[in-house]
Amino acid sequence: FAQLAASQGSRIALRLVGLFHLRGQGGAAPDPPRGVHYLLRASRLGDAESMYRYALCLRSGQGRDAPDLEESWKWVEASAGRGFATARFDLGFELLIGSGRSVLGEPSQGLAILRQLHAAGDPHGTLGVGVAYLIGRGVPRDRKRGRQLLLESARRGQLRSYYYLGLDALDERTPAARVDAVRWLGIAARSGDLQATLKLARVLRASGDPAEARRARRLLERAAARGSLEAQGLLTQESE
């Protein structure tokens, strides 16, 4: 049905078929380039969620020859402009952190967007404000408050929060904190978080433990199957 509706130009159907091909779900064979093609079609028809999903593919390089960060952020901004909450979070978070220097604006603008989302009960916003406290960006640094907000966000279904909890635990550089980090990153990775999967794989590979190395390889293989160029590169290094 979705394929038929997509052939007739339905934005939602185009998005669904695109996601099915990206993930190998809904009876569709895994075919990331084809999935990206459908998401782009839906995006051009004005579907805000498709704009954001397409932006993620541009960011990671999934279904493409290489990532394109500049084009990715253009689609994030377009999606945010149409009110898609996750895109608004990404835009606010990028303005706050400024890691990619990909969008024009000030950290204060990003924090304002994240606070708006948090006040509206959106766990994405709660995550963003939590990270702001963890690193002291736009607010006085308060790691305890940051962790509280991240755990609140996670309890409300935003499993991406576990990725940042894992990163924070790694910063403590103690054996006990490493155990927590592996646990947090593992939860995020199982939820499908690609960055958490890659980070966890790197942490496990660095341990020198054969069992953890095998687990790391399984994580990289799953990420590579989803089109991650970074995972594919790490697996190639292992085989050389």
Side-chain angles (χ1 to χ4, degrees):
F1 174 78
Q3 187 73 54
L4 175 62
S7 69
Q8 296 172 348
S10 164
R11 292 182 299 179
I12 295 175
L14 285 166
R15 184 210 314 152
L16 289 174
V17 172
L19 294 175
F20 287 160
H21 281 296
L22 284 178
R23 301 168 179 171
Q25 297 175 339
D31 189 344
R34 191 174 184 186
V36 169
H37 167 74
Y38 278 106
L39 288 177
L40 177 57
R41 285 181 59 192
S43 297
R44 286 173 171 165
L45 291 172
D47 185 65
E49 182 173 346
S50 294
M51 292 175 182
Y52 179 72
R53 301 293 181 184
Y54 178 62
L56 294 184
C57 293
L58 290 167
R59 187 183 304 176
S60 68
Q62 185 179 17
R64 297 174 50 84
D65 294 331
D68 186 339
L69 294 180
E70 183 177 352
E71 186 70 11
S72 172
W73 282 108
K74 289 179 181 177
W75 284 105
V76 170
E77 290 188 79
S79 178
R82 289 179 175 267
F84 189 60
T86 310
R88 291 186 65 210
F89 162 74
D90 265 19
L91 181 61
F93 199 73
E94 180 67 11
L95 287 166
L96 177 72
I97 304 300
S99 57
R101 302 184 184 279
S102 303
V103 291
L104 297 176
E106 299 295 329
S108 59
Q109 293 175 269
L111 184 58
I113 293 171
L114 297 171
R115 286 191 183 281
Q116 288 171 6
L117 291 169
H118 173 54
D122 189 313
H124 292 91
T126 306
L127 182 161
V129 177
V131 171
Y133 276 106
L134 276 186
I135 65 175
R137 183 66 59 86
V139 292
R141 191 177 189 197
D142 185 340
R143 291 177 70 188
K144 181 178 179 181
R145 176 60 175 155
R147 291 187 191 117
Q148 289 173 339
L149 287 167
L150 288 172
L151 286 170
E152 177 187 337
S153 174
R155 284 193 295 270
R156 289 160 54 200
Q158 182 44 259
L159 300 185
R160 174 72 169 170
S161 297
Y162 289 115
Y163 170 68
Y164 292 103
L165 285 165
L167 295 184
D168 181 63
L170 285 175
D171 281 345
E172 293 188 18
R173 301 181 185 278
T174 66
R178 183 188 184 277
V179 171
D180 286 339
V182 169
R183 178 162 58 95
W184 296 135
L185 290 171
I187 294 172
R190 287 192 295 276
S191 76
D193 188 311
L194 190 57
Q195 276 189 291
T197 301
L198 293 169
K199 184 64 177 181
L200 179 57
R202 287 186 177 278
V203 170
L204 295 172
R205 290 175 86 205
S207 73
D209 180 273
E212 290 199 340
R214 289 192 294 272
R215 183 184 174 191
R217 183 172 182 84
R218 290 193 297 271
L219 289 166
L220 290 174
E221 287 172 345
R222 288 202 292 271
R226 292 174 56 193
S228 167
L229 300 179
E230 181 179 349
Q232 292 167 11
L234 289 171
L235 289 169
T236 299
Q237 290 175 15
E238 281 189 5
S239 62
E240 290 177 349

